[in-house]
């Protein structure tokens, strides 16, 4: 049976060009980049080449890129570093729809006495910008707002937020601005200079590099306090012997992403639109979440009201099709998605939500296969859970 992988926001296939770049690091260049002899410095050169590629993909300087173990580490480091930098400031601004890598740090800080403002979104997943301006305080240490949502693909106005923060005069130093761009880098053009962000997180396994590697951009001059302390790797900003092969892979993945960005965005957007049009016309009661908002070209969150999303996934799985309900991290918990809840989508529709996320390795044949299978799956499940009246989640 042909396998159709439609869960690329959970993780992506490592590109073969990336594997090719990594293999010599395992086989030949296994030296420690901190060693001063030539066998070590050869690996150091490879890391620095990767750093340049990652920096170029977001228009940063190489010295502004710190390699980490994942997007989660980058997010944690950014927020905790800002709080360390401004010990007198006890306020954080974030949004209700962040990934747990941001939300759970904020909750933990709340337990330690910090005040946290969670900005709300509308029924299409758009950020309430008026409440953002109202939320800024003189004791705000950091604003951490995601670039694009992992469940709906909705893109936030990071450039506009960056401008508002930059223009605000705050005694004792500017409010730091961090964006979790884990789902954005590699899918849309990300330019840290244009965005006016102080810190930005990205993760290798979302853009065809391996799992277990990420990066944190820290704008030159931003006060920074490391999370990991030890042998002073990454100029003391992230200790621990570098994951050399994966870092080299991340560099290659960024290089590929930049080269193909525009072409791929158009390609993915067309596939995604075809998928949505076909599902809406063949599956009664289907609604695309966040449809009218600015979205990533590869992501589609669709609610099938009154149907159990997990049952849809199981039947798709038995047909070799892989998708997700809500975010990969929270699926299996049985809890409704906090993102769709924040969009005021009825519980009956949240429980019937499926996320399809595409990559460069998907093609029309994958969409054909989904369209062949899904209407039958929905029809079968509708026999158990009939659609009563018009879908309530028509937003
Ligand atoms: N932030 C967002 C928006 C994500 O989607 C994810 C992963 O799904 C993360 C952070 C965490 O990244 P990682 O899996 O590399 O820790």
């Amino acid at each position: 049976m042909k396998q159709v992988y439609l869960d690329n926001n959970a993780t992506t296939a490592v590109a073969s060009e990336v594997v090719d770049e990594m293999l010599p690091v395992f086989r030949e260049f296994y030296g420690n980049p901190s060693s001063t002899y030539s066998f070590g410095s050869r690996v150091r050169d490879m890391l620095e080449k990767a750093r340049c590629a990652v920096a170029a993909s977001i228009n940063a300087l190489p010295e502004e890129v710190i390699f980490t173990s994942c997007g989660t580490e980058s997010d944690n480091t950014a927020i905790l570093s800002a709080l360390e930098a401004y010990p007198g400031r006890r306020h954080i601004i974030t949004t209700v729809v962040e990934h747990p890598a941001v939300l759970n740090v904020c909750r933990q800080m709340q337990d330690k006495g910090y005040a946290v403002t969670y900005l709300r979104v509308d029924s299409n997943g758009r950020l309430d910008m008026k409440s953002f301006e109202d939320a800024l305080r003189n004791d705000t240490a950091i604003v951490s707002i995601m670039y694009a949502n992992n469940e709906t693909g909705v893109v936030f106005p990071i450039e506009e937020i960056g401008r508002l923060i930059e223009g605000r005069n705050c005694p004792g130093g500017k409010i730091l601005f961090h964006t979790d761009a884990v789902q954005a880098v590699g899918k849309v053009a990300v330019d840290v200079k244009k965005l006016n962000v102080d810190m930005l997180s990205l993760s290798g396994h979302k853009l065809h590099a391996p799992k277990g590697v990420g990066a944190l951009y820290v704008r030159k001059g931003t006060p920074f306090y490391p999370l990991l302390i030890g042998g002073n790797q990454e100029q003391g900003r992230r200790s621990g012997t570098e994951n050399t092969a994966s870092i080299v892979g991340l560099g290659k993945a960024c290089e590929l992403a930049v080269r193909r960005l525009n072409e791929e965005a158009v390609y993915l957007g067309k596939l995604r639109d075809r998928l949505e049009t076909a599902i809406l016309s063949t599956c009664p009661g289907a609604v695309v979440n966040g449809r009218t908002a600015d979205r990533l070209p590869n992501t589609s969150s669709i609610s099938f009201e009154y149907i159990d999303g997990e049952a849809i996934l199981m039947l798709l799985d038995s047909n070799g099709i892989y998708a997700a309900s809500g975010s990969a991290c929270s699926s299996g918990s049985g809890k409704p998605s906090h993102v769709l809840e924040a969009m005021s989508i009825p519980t009956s529709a949240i429980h019937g939500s499926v996320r399809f996320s595409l990559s460069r390795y998907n093609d029309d044949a994958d969409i054909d296969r989904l369209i062949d299978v899904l209407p039958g799956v929905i029809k079968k499940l509708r026999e158990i859970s009939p659609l009563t009246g018009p879908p309530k989640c028509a937003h």
Side-chain angles (χ1 to χ4, degrees), residues 77-89 109 114 141-142 176 223-227 229:
T77 305
I79 297 168
L80 297 175
S81 167
L83 299 184
E84 190 88 15
Y86 292 132
R89 296 202 194 166
M109 289 302 116
Y114 284 83
I142 182 165
L176 298 180
F224 184 78
Y225 291 80
L227 189 65
I229 295 160

Side-chain angles (χ1 to χ4, degrees), residues 47-368:
L47 287 196
E48 293 318 315
K49 184 179 163 219
R51 197 185 308 279
C52 290
V54 174
S57 73
I58 54 171
N59 194 25
L61 299 169
E63 61 268 31
E64 293 175 319
V65 171
I66 302 170
F67 290 119
T68 65
S69 67
C70 57
T72 301
E73 184 189 326
S74 300
D75 286 345
N76 277 231
T77 305
I79 297 168
L80 297 175
S81 167
L83 299 184
E84 190 88 15
Y86 292 132
R89 296 202 194 166
R90 309 281 291 175
H91 180 232
I92 303 168
I93 299 176
T94 188
T95 80
V96 280
V97 295
E98 297 295 312
H99 187 274
V102 167
L103 276 183
N104 286 340
V105 180
C106 291
R107 287 186 189 128
Q108 202 173 82
M109 289 302 116
Q110 239 175 323
D111 291 344
K112 292 187 176 172
Y114 284 83
V116 182
T117 302
Y118 297 93
L119 302 171
R120 305 188 62 77
V121 295
D122 69 13
S123 62
N124 264 296
R126 292 192 205 95
L127 198 62
D128 177 356
M129 286 302 289
K130 167 80 180 73
S131 66
F132 168 70
E133 286 190 66
D134 293 345
L136 287 170
R137 303 186 345 195
N138 278 348
D139 69 338
T140 305
I142 182 165
V143 174
S144 179
I145 295 182
M146 70 197 326
Y147 196 115
N149 189 270
N150 41 304
E151 294 193 35
T152 58
V154 171
V155 173
F156 283 156
I158 298 301
E159 191 176 335
E160 188 185 341
I161 297 168
R163 223 179 296 121
L164 288 170
I165 296 174
E166 205 72 14
R168 186 170 168 111
N169 218 343
C170 224
K174 80 170 287 256
I175 297 169
L176 298 180
F177 182 26
H178 165 250
T179 187
D180 174 346
V182 163
Q183 292 292 347
V185 174
K187 295 174 189 150
V188 289
V190 173
D191 178 332
V192 290
K193 301 283 180 297
K194 243 195 195 165
L195 297 176
N196 264 319
V197 289
D198 300 297
M199 291 179 276
L200 175 145
S201 304
L202 62 94
S203 172
H205 73 111
K206 310 291 185 180
L207 68 144
H208 304 291
K211 296 159 188 62
V213 65
L216 177 64
Y217 157 80
V218 181
R219 192 195 330 214
K220 212 172 171 174
T222 303
F224 184 78
Y225 291 80
L227 189 65
L228 295 190
I229 295 160
N232 281 332
Q233 287 87 350
E234 296 293 284
Q235 296 184 318
R237 296 178 299 177
R238 200 278 183 184
S239 288
T241 302
E242 297 88 341
N243 182 355
T244 50
S246 294
I247 290 172
V248 166
L250 176 61
K252 187 68 188 178
C254 285
E255 190 191 309
L256 293 173
V258 168
R259 206 186 301 152
R260 301 172 177 175
L261 196 73
N262 294 337
E263 183 195 329
E264 262 180 26
V266 173
Y267 176 74
L268 293 173
K270 278 189 185 153
L271 280 187
R272 193 265 322 263
D273 290 349
R274 216 190 124 215
L275 175 153
E276 289 184 352
T277 307
I279 292 178
L280 293 182
S281 63
T282 55
C283 302
V287 174
V288 177
N289 299 312
R291 194 175 189 195
T292 59
D294 184 16
R295 280 188 298 155
L296 293 174
N298 80 317
T299 308
S300 185
S301 163
I302 303 189
S303 289
F304 302 89
E305 204 164 11
Y306 303 117
I307 297 184
D308 177 11
E310 293 299 325
I312 302 175
L313 294 189
M314 275 171 57
L315 291 176
L316 288 179
D317 185 358
S318 64
N319 282 281
I321 301 171
Y322 310 120
S325 67
S327 75
C329 320
S330 64
S331 68
S333 66
K335 283 194 198 142
S337 146
H338 70 286
V339 175
L340 301 182
E341 266 187 337
M343 290 162 71
S344 306
I345 291 170
T347 314
S348 56
I350 296 177
H351 282 301
S353 295
V354 177
R355 178 189 68 187
F356 301 100
S357 49
L358 312 172
S359 82
R360 69 174 72 127
Y361 298 118
N362 290 117
D363 57 18
D364 274 314
D366 293 338
I367 307 301
D368 290 343

